[in-house]
Amino acid sequence: MSKSKVLLIYTGGTIGMMQDAKTGQLKPFDFKQLTDQIPELNKFDVTLSAISFANPIDSSDMQPSVWIEIAKMIGKNYDKVDGFVVLHGSDTMSFTASALSFMLENLNKPVILTGSQLPIGMIRTDGKENLITAIEIAAAKQKGKPIVSEVCIYFEYQLYRGNRTHKFNAEHFQAFQSANYPVLAEAGVHLKYTQSALKKGNGKKLKVHTSLDSNIAILKIFPGITQNVMEAILNAQNVKAIILETFGSGNASTQKWFIDALKKAIDKGVLILNVTQCNAGKVEQGKYATSAAFKKIGVIGSSDITSEAAVAKLMFVLGTTSNKKEIEKLLKSDLRGEMTV
Ligand code: ASP
């Protein structure tokens, strides 16, 4: 059997950073030095190729234009390789994984994002294991077909559906969580896949969507939020959709001014998406009296989607169509396994 081919796309992040001798700050370094740091890569039974961003970035500088660049790189190389590993900073990795999942329609090959909490050059780095296993997953096949055919994050022995993840820890090697969807695989002595949770390939031709609209906002409510702040966000210029981060199962204040402000925005054409502030569980509008009004005024309940996936989904949907009915239909549907409907 011929060797699997995997393309590494290096975007930046801690995994490829080194300490600036003068300032002590972590800065991205040249990709060639990354492969020097892991000679094990040469022993792999996989044909590896790599593309590096000309200017690798800390993922806190991530932008939708960069997601488009990555999606295009994947589209351009899709027929040439069996899988992709995207090296990326962990800070915004969940956003990028979510965005790619929407942009890569009919994906039938693995796209595995990984990174690390400690730079690869450090003795205690978590980057080596993350990278080596991510490559193994990107190359893995069963009966000639890829085992994974979706956008995932591999971090600290676990493989997650990318658009279900959330970075929940800034220090621990286990930095990600997928509270509302099972882990897709666990790496121990063996790589154990959860077959029932993996998305099945559909055999259709890949379609790369490259139009994203970032005229959106997140409005996280808190006890005491003022009318001024609410209205400033709801009336922000050009904003087409707002993720309303609510309490518990989608609840919020019942004060008249609060509901009126939302209703006014909705009547003006702004879409309001109800996403819970909780890491686990889902929005159920109407379960409590404190969310009943949402249903009446046309707030869209978003089940168990993460805020990260909601951001990416809104940008994708708004970039795809301007038909209001179609937008609402897409937002209420599960497009890439990002929410339970
Ligand atoms: N600030 C870094 C980044 O997201 C952190 C990391 O790589 O984990 O690029």
PDB file of all heavy atoms in Angstrom, residues 78-101:
ATOM      1  N   TYR A  78      -6.193  19.728  -2.013  1.00  0.00           N
ATOM      2  CA  TYR A  78      -7.119  18.679  -1.580  1.00  0.00           C
ATOM      3  C   TYR A  78      -6.918  17.346  -2.313  1.00  0.00           C
ATOM      4  O   TYR A  78      -6.924  16.288  -1.690  1.00  0.00           O
ATOM      5  CB  TYR A  78      -8.554  19.172  -1.759  1.00  0.00           C
ATOM      6  CG  TYR A  78      -9.591  18.315  -1.077  1.00  0.00           C
ATOM      7  CD1 TYR A  78      -9.692  18.303   0.315  1.00  0.00           C
ATOM      8  CD2 TYR A  78     -10.452  17.517  -1.821  1.00  0.00           C
ATOM      9  CE1 TYR A  78     -10.639  17.521   0.945  1.00  0.00           C
ATOM     10  CE2 TYR A  78     -11.410  16.733  -1.197  1.00  0.00           C
ATOM     11  CZ  TYR A  78     -11.496  16.740   0.187  1.00  0.00           C
ATOM     12  OH  TYR A  78     -12.441  15.961   0.815  1.00  0.00           O
ATOM     13  N   ASP A  79      -6.731  17.415  -3.618  1.00  0.00           N
ATOM     14  CA  ASP A  79      -6.598  16.163  -4.383  1.00  0.00           C
ATOM     15  C   ASP A  79      -5.202  15.569  -4.299  1.00  0.00           C
ATOM     16  O   ASP A  79      -4.986  14.440  -4.714  1.00  0.00           O
ATOM     17  CB  ASP A  79      -6.979  16.401  -5.851  1.00  0.00           C
ATOM     18  CG  ASP A  79      -8.458  16.738  -5.967  1.00  0.00           C
ATOM     19  OD1 ASP A  79      -9.233  16.251  -5.123  1.00  0.00           O
ATOM     20  OD2 ASP A  79      -8.818  17.514  -6.875  1.00  0.00           O
ATOM     21  N   LYS A  80      -4.250  16.340  -3.778  1.00  0.00           N
ATOM     22  CA  LYS A  80      -2.853  15.865  -3.767  1.00  0.00           C
ATOM     23  C   LYS A  80      -2.495  15.087  -2.510  1.00  0.00           C
ATOM     24  O   LYS A  80      -1.509  14.369  -2.486  1.00  0.00           O
ATOM     25  CB  LYS A  80      -1.902  17.065  -3.883  1.00  0.00           C
ATOM     26  CG  LYS A  80      -2.082  17.856  -5.166  1.00  0.00           C
ATOM     27  CD  LYS A  80      -1.046  18.971  -5.233  1.00  0.00           C
ATOM     28  CE  LYS A  80      -1.461  20.010  -6.252  1.00  0.00           C
ATOM     29  NZ  LYS A  80      -1.024  21.342  -5.881  1.00  0.00           N
ATOM     30  N   VAL A  81      -3.233  15.293  -1.424  1.00  0.00           N
ATOM     31  CA  VAL A  81      -2.855  14.638  -0.166  1.00  0.00           C
ATOM     32  C   VAL A  81      -4.048  13.911   0.475  1.00  0.00           C
ATOM     33  O   VAL A  81      -5.191  14.074   0.049  1.00  0.00           O
ATOM     34  CB  VAL A  81      -2.274  15.661   0.861  1.00  0.00           C
ATOM     35  CG1 VAL A  81      -0.997  16.294   0.353  1.00  0.00           C
ATOM     36  CG2 VAL A  81      -3.293  16.728   1.219  1.00  0.00           C
ATOM     37  N   ASP A  82      -3.721  13.105   1.494  1.00  0.00           N
ATOM     38  CA  ASP A  82      -4.782  12.339   2.183  1.00  0.00           C
ATOM     39  C   ASP A  82      -5.340  13.079   3.387  1.00  0.00           C
ATOM     40  O   ASP A  82      -6.434  12.763   3.856  1.00  0.00           O
ATOM     41  CB  ASP A  82      -4.212  10.995   2.635  1.00  0.00           C
ATOM     42  CG  ASP A  82      -3.743  10.181   1.448  1.00  0.00           C
ATOM     43  OD1 ASP A  82      -4.601   9.697   0.705  1.00  0.00           O
ATOM     44  OD2 ASP A  82      -2.515  10.061   1.236  1.00  0.00           O
ATOM     45  N   GLY A  83      -4.551  14.020   3.909  1.00  0.00           N
ATOM     46  CA  GLY A  83      -5.028  14.735   5.089  1.00  0.00           C
ATOM     47  C   GLY A  83      -4.181  15.966   5.361  1.00  0.00           C
ATOM     48  O   GLY A  83      -3.101  16.144   4.774  1.00  0.00           O
ATOM     49  N   PHE A  84      -4.698  16.803   6.263  1.00  0.00           N
ATOM     50  CA  PHE A  84      -4.042  18.078   6.574  1.00  0.00           C
ATOM     51  C   PHE A  84      -3.860  18.228   8.084  1.00  0.00           C
ATOM     52  O   PHE A  84      -4.731  17.829   8.859  1.00  0.00           O
ATOM     53  CB  PHE A  84      -4.925  19.251   6.108  1.00  0.00           C
ATOM     54  CG  PHE A  84      -5.175  19.253   4.626  1.00  0.00           C
ATOM     55  CD1 PHE A  84      -6.215  18.490   4.086  1.00  0.00           C
ATOM     56  CD2 PHE A  84      -4.371  19.990   3.769  1.00  0.00           C
ATOM     57  CE1 PHE A  84      -6.441  18.478   2.723  1.00  0.00           C
ATOM     58  CE2 PHE A  84      -4.600  19.986   2.398  1.00  0.00           C
ATOM     59  CZ  PHE A  84      -5.639  19.222   1.875  1.00  0.00           C
ATOM     60  N   VAL A  85      -2.717  18.814   8.448  1.00  0.00           N
ATOM     61  CA  VAL A  85      -2.520  19.213   9.848  1.00  0.00           C
ATOM     62  C   VAL A  85      -2.255  20.723   9.833  1.00  0.00           C
ATOM     63  O   VAL A  85      -1.356  21.183   9.120  1.00  0.00           O
ATOM     64  CB  VAL A  85      -1.342  18.466  10.506  1.00  0.00           C
ATOM     65  CG1 VAL A  85      -1.018  19.055  11.881  1.00  0.00           C
ATOM     66  CG2 VAL A  85      -1.663  16.984  10.643  1.00  0.00           C
ATOM     67  N   VAL A  86      -3.060  21.451  10.568  1.00  0.00           N
ATOM     68  CA  VAL A  86      -2.879  22.899  10.623  1.00  0.00           C
ATOM     69  C   VAL A  86      -2.302  23.252  11.992  1.00  0.00           C
ATOM     70  O   VAL A  86      -2.939  23.016  13.027  1.00  0.00           O
ATOM     71  CB  VAL A  86      -4.228  23.639  10.401  1.00  0.00           C
ATOM     72  CG1 VAL A  86      -4.022  25.148  10.453  1.00  0.00           C
ATOM     73  CG2 VAL A  86      -4.873  23.222   9.078  1.00  0.00           C
ATOM     74  N   LEU A  87      -1.082  23.774  11.983  1.00  0.00           N
ATOM     75  CA  LEU A  87      -0.456  24.196  13.251  1.00  0.00           C
ATOM     76  C   LEU A  87      -0.899  25.620  13.550  1.00  0.00           C
ATOM     77  O   LEU A  87      -0.744  26.516  12.705  1.00  0.00           O
ATOM     78  CB  LEU A  87       1.058  24.128  13.134  1.00  0.00           C
ATOM     79  CG  LEU A  87       1.594  22.698  13.035  1.00  0.00           C
ATOM     80  CD1 LEU A  87       3.069  22.692  12.714  1.00  0.00           C
ATOM     81  CD2 LEU A  87       1.347  21.974  14.340  1.00  0.00           C
ATOM     82  N   HIS A  88      -1.431  25.808  14.729  1.00  0.00           N
ATOM     83  CA  HIS A  88      -2.177  27.044  15.013  1.00  0.00           C
ATOM     84  C   HIS A  88      -2.081  27.330  16.501  1.00  0.00           C
ATOM     85  O   HIS A  88      -2.063  26.414  17.314  1.00  0.00           O
ATOM     86  CB  HIS A  88      -3.640  26.756  14.621  1.00  0.00           C
ATOM     87  CG  HIS A  88      -4.555  27.932  14.561  1.00  0.00           C
ATOM     88  ND1 HIS A  88      -4.996  28.594  15.677  1.00  0.00           N
ATOM     89  CD2 HIS A  88      -5.136  28.534  13.504  1.00  0.00           C
ATOM     90  CE1 HIS A  88      -5.816  29.565  15.304  1.00  0.00           C
ATOM     91  NE2 HIS A  88      -5.920  29.558  13.978  1.00  0.00           N
ATOM     92  N   GLY A  89      -2.055  28.583  16.883  1.00  0.00           N
ATOM     93  CA  GLY A  89      -2.081  28.930  18.299  1.00  0.00           C
ATOM     94  C   GLY A  89      -3.380  28.449  18.922  1.00  0.00           C
ATOM     95  O   GLY A  89      -4.414  28.380  18.256  1.00  0.00           O
ATOM     96  N   SER A  90      -3.310  28.127  20.208  1.00  0.00           N
ATOM     97  CA  SER A  90      -4.512  27.573  20.836  1.00  0.00           C
ATOM     98  C   SER A  90      -5.556  28.639  21.183  1.00  0.00           C
ATOM     99  O   SER A  90      -6.733  28.333  21.319  1.00  0.00           O
ATOM    100  CB  SER A  90      -4.129  26.778  22.086  1.00  0.00           C
ATOM    101  OG  SER A  90      -3.498  27.634  23.013  1.00  0.00           O
ATOM    102  N   ASP A  91      -5.124  29.912  21.299  1.00  0.00           N
ATOM    103  CA  ASP A  91      -6.057  30.944  21.774  1.00  0.00           C
ATOM    104  C   ASP A  91      -7.333  31.043  20.936  1.00  0.00           C
ATOM    105  O   ASP A  91      -8.424  31.160  21.476  1.00  0.00           O
ATOM    106  CB  ASP A  91      -5.365  32.318  21.810  1.00  0.00           C
ATOM    107  CG  ASP A  91      -4.385  32.432  22.966  1.00  0.00           C
ATOM    108  OD1 ASP A  91      -4.378  31.535  23.830  1.00  0.00           O
ATOM    109  OD2 ASP A  91      -3.617  33.418  23.006  1.00  0.00           O
ATOM    110  N   THR A  92      -7.189  31.018  19.623  1.00  0.00           N
ATOM    111  CA  THR A  92      -8.382  31.154  18.770  1.00  0.00           C
ATOM    112  C   THR A  92      -8.601  29.912  17.900  1.00  0.00           C
ATOM    113  O   THR A  92      -9.295  29.969  16.893  1.00  0.00           O
ATOM    114  CB  THR A  92      -8.294  32.405  17.859  1.00  0.00           C
ATOM    115  OG1 THR A  92      -7.143  32.265  17.017  1.00  0.00           O
ATOM    116  CG2 THR A  92      -8.187  33.681  18.659  1.00  0.00           C
ATOM    117  N   MET A  93      -7.984  28.806  18.330  1.00  0.00           N
ATOM    118  CA  MET A  93      -8.078  27.583  17.522  1.00  0.00           C
ATOM    119  C   MET A  93      -9.530  27.114  17.338  1.00  0.00           C
ATOM    120  O   MET A  93      -9.914  26.630  16.272  1.00  0.00           O
ATOM    121  CB  MET A  93      -7.245  26.477  18.186  1.00  0.00           C
ATOM    122  CG  MET A  93      -6.981  25.311  17.257  1.00  0.00           C
ATOM    123  SD  MET A  93      -6.090  23.989  18.082  1.00  0.00           S
ATOM    124  CE  MET A  93      -4.442  24.613  18.108  1.00  0.00           C
ATOM    125  N   SER A  94     -10.349  27.264  18.371  1.00  0.00           N
ATOM    126  CA  SER A  94     -11.748  26.820  18.262  1.00  0.00           C
ATOM    127  C   SER A  94     -12.507  27.648  17.223  1.00  0.00           C
ATOM    128  O   SER A  94     -13.374  27.126  16.521  1.00  0.00           O
ATOM    129  CB  SER A  94     -12.452  26.916  19.611  1.00  0.00           C
ATOM    130  OG  SER A  94     -11.874  26.008  20.515  1.00  0.00           O
ATOM    131  N   PHE A  95     -12.182  28.934  17.142  1.00  0.00           N
ATOM    132  CA  PHE A  95     -12.834  29.783  16.133  1.00  0.00           C
ATOM    133  C   PHE A  95     -12.415  29.337  14.723  1.00  0.00           C
ATOM    134  O   PHE A  95     -13.248  29.213  13.834  1.00  0.00           O
ATOM    135  CB  PHE A  95     -12.428  31.261  16.319  1.00  0.00           C
ATOM    136  CG  PHE A  95     -12.996  31.924  17.540  1.00  0.00           C
ATOM    137  CD1 PHE A  95     -12.294  31.963  18.736  1.00  0.00           C
ATOM    138  CD2 PHE A  95     -14.239  32.539  17.487  1.00  0.00           C
ATOM    139  CE1 PHE A  95     -12.813  32.597  19.856  1.00  0.00           C
ATOM    140  CE2 PHE A  95     -14.773  33.189  18.607  1.00  0.00           C
ATOM    141  CZ  PHE A  95     -14.054  33.207  19.800  1.00  0.00           C
ATOM    142  N   THR A  96     -11.108  29.113  14.554  1.00  0.00           N
ATOM    143  CA  THR A  96     -10.615  28.732  13.220  1.00  0.00           C
ATOM    144  C   THR A  96     -11.168  27.374  12.812  1.00  0.00           C
ATOM    145  O   THR A  96     -11.596  27.186  11.669  1.00  0.00           O
ATOM    146  CB  THR A  96      -9.070  28.723  13.205  1.00  0.00           C
ATOM    147  OG1 THR A  96      -8.612  30.024  13.538  1.00  0.00           O
ATOM    148  CG2 THR A  96      -8.522  28.318  11.842  1.00  0.00           C
ATOM    149  N   ALA A  97     -11.177  26.427  13.752  1.00  0.00           N
ATOM    150  CA  ALA A  97     -11.694  25.092  13.424  1.00  0.00           C
ATOM    151  C   ALA A  97     -13.171  25.198  13.039  1.00  0.00           C
ATOM    152  O   ALA A  97     -13.623  24.564  12.071  1.00  0.00           O
ATOM    153  CB  ALA A  97     -11.519  24.157  14.618  1.00  0.00           C
ATOM    154  N   SER A  98     -13.917  26.030  13.761  1.00  0.00           N
ATOM    155  CA  SER A  98     -15.333  26.208  13.438  1.00  0.00           C
ATOM    156  C   SER A  98     -15.478  26.836  12.052  1.00  0.00           C
ATOM    157  O   SER A  98     -16.266  26.363  11.224  1.00  0.00           O
ATOM    158  CB  SER A  98     -16.015  27.114  14.469  1.00  0.00           C
ATOM    159  OG  SER A  98     -15.910  26.555  15.756  1.00  0.00           O
ATOM    160  N   ALA A  99     -14.722  27.893  11.806  1.00  0.00           N
ATOM    161  CA  ALA A  99     -14.830  28.581  10.512  1.00  0.00           C
ATOM    162  C   ALA A  99     -14.503  27.617   9.364  1.00  0.00           C
ATOM    163  O   ALA A  99     -15.242  27.541   8.380  1.00  0.00           O
ATOM    164  CB  ALA A  99     -13.894  29.783  10.481  1.00  0.00           C
ATOM    165  N   LEU A 100     -13.423  26.860   9.520  1.00  0.00           N
ATOM    166  CA  LEU A 100     -13.055  25.929   8.444  1.00  0.00           C
ATOM    167  C   LEU A 100     -14.137  24.881   8.231  1.00  0.00           C
ATOM    168  O   LEU A 100     -14.394  24.451   7.106  1.00  0.00           O
ATOM    169  CB  LEU A 100     -11.705  25.253   8.752  1.00  0.00           C
ATOM    170  CG  LEU A 100     -10.479  26.175   8.694  1.00  0.00           C
ATOM    171  CD1 LEU A 100      -9.226  25.414   9.122  1.00  0.00           C
ATOM    172  CD2 LEU A 100     -10.282  26.757   7.291  1.00  0.00           C
ATOM    173  N   SER A 101     -14.784  24.460   9.324  1.00  0.00           N
ATOM    174  CA  SER A 101     -15.810  23.426   9.162  1.00  0.00           C
ATOM    175  C   SER A 101     -16.945  23.939   8.273  1.00  0.00           C
ATOM    176  O   SER A 101     -17.493  23.195   7.473  1.00  0.00           O
ATOM    177  CB  SER A 101     -16.344  22.955  10.518  1.00  0.00           C
ATOM    178  OG  SER A 101     -17.239  23.884  11.086  1.00  0.00           O
TER     179      SER A 101
END
